Amino acid sequence: MASSLRRSVHHSVLCAAIITICLIACKNPAAEQRKILNAFDSVNKALERIDSLLAFSKPVYDSLMDKAWEDNNTQQMYYTVHDFHGYLYDLKSRFETFLGDSIGQGIPEQNQGDPGLSDAFFKEKRNDPESFLKYFHIALNRLKPFTQDAAKSARIDDLITTTPVNRAEELFNAGPPVSVIIMINYYDLTLKSITQSILQEYFKKQ
C-alpha cells in the first residue's frame, strides 16, 4: 500500500510538471490555458485528499508528534519538523494572499496561470525559495537518525538529491502559481508521511 501511495503521489507531481510545460508552451491561451488550469486544480484536490489513505493519517500523525514532543530523544526532531510545517503554512498563506485569495476562497482564475506573479512573490527576500528547500532538507536530515530502515533512508537521500537548492528558482519562480501551490502541498504531505512512518518505527521499538 505504501509503495502504491508513493507511485500515486509521484504520478500527481509528474502530471503537474507536464501540465506546467504545456502551459508555458500553449499557443492558444484563451481556450487551452483554462483547460490546463482546471487539470492543475484537479491534481491539487487529489493531493489534498491523499491524507485519507492508509500511508498517512492525521490523527495518527498528531498522536505520534505528541509522543515525539514528550520523548527527550525525539524532542529536537519534533521542533524541527513542527517549525518547518509552520514556515510552510505561513509561506503558502502569504502567497495565496499575494495572488488575491485573502480568505481561502481560491486563487482568482486570472492569476492562476501567470508565472510573473510567482516570480514577483519569490523574489522578495522573506519568500526566498532557497530557504524553503534548505528547511525541507534540514527536517529530512533530522528524521534520518531515527530509522534503521534502509528504504526510508534511501527515500530521504533521494528527496534531498532531487530537490537541490540551486533549482529553487526554476521550481518556484518560473512556474504558474497553481503549480507552485501543488508543489508546496506535495512537500507538506511528503514530510508528514515520512515523519509518521519513521516515528511509528521508532516508538514500536521503545
Side-chain angles (χ1 to χ4, degrees):
M1 181 66 182
S3 62
S4 175
L5 176 69
R6 285 195 294 271
R7 286 194 298 271
S8 175
V9 173
H10 293 163
H11 177 71
S12 295
V13 176
L14 178 61
C15 286
I18 292 170
I19 294 169
T20 301
I21 294 170
C22 290
L23 186 63
I24 294 170
C26 185
K27 295 182 179 180
N28 187 354
E32 295 302 319
Q33 285 194 15
R34 189 171 296 107
K35 293 179 184 178
I36 292 166
L37 292 173
N38 287 339
F40 259 129
D41 189 53
S42 297
V43 172
N44 192 35
K45 286 183 171 61
L47 281 173
E48 290 173 347
R49 289 195 299 268
I50 285 176
D51 64 5
S52 66
L53 300 178
L54 290 178
F56 175 73
S57 163
K58 189 176 186 305
V60 172
Y61 173 83
D62 289 344
S63 176
L64 288 166
M65 285 293 280
D66 286 343
K67 291 176 71 174
W69 179 74
E70 295 170 353
D71 187 300
N72 288 335
N73 293 326
T74 57
Q75 198 170 74
Q76 187 58 55
M77 180 269 284
Y78 163 86
Y79 284 119
T80 302
V81 172
H82 181 271
D83 289 351
F84 171 79
H85 288 295
Y87 166 82
L88 182 150
Y89 178 80
D90 179 65
L91 179 71
K92 181 180 175 182
S93 296
R94 285 188 284 105
F95 186 44
E96 290 175 335
T97 300
F98 177 82
L99 296 169
D101 178 23
S102 59
I103 56 175
Q105 294 298 309
I107 302 169
E109 185 175 340
Q110 68 271 19
N111 293 340
Q112 292 179 7
D114 184 356
L117 292 173
S118 300
D119 188 50
F121 178 81
F122 287 105
K123 274 185 175 177
E124 292 185 19
K125 187 173 182 180
R126 70 170 181 160
N127 304 328
D128 178 20
E130 288 192 3
S131 296
F132 176 94
L133 291 181
K134 285 177 182 176
Y135 291 149
F136 182 61
H137 294 173
I138 289 170
L140 288 170
N141 281 320
R142 185 70 73 177
L143 285 166
K144 195 173 179 181
F146 294 95
T147 182
Q148 302 300 314
D149 187 317
K152 290 173 187 163
S153 292
R155 173 73 175 126
I156 288 173
D157 290 340
D158 181 60
L159 278 167
I160 293 173
T161 300
T162 56
T163 57
V165 171
N166 61 10
R167 286 193 60 208
E169 185 172 335
E170 173 190 340
L171 290 170
F172 290 87
N173 296 58
V178 71
S179 73
V180 174
I181 294 295
I182 289 173
M183 282 194 295
I184 290 174
N185 288 342
Y186 169 71
Y187 289 122
D188 178 50
L189 179 61
T190 296
L191 186 62
K192 284 179 178 175
S193 297
I194 292 173
T195 301
Q196 177 178 305
S197 179
I198 288 178
L199 287 179
Q200 284 174 320
E201 175 193 346
Y202 173 80
F203 286 116
K204 188 176 181 180
K205 295 176 181 177
Q206 300 307 300

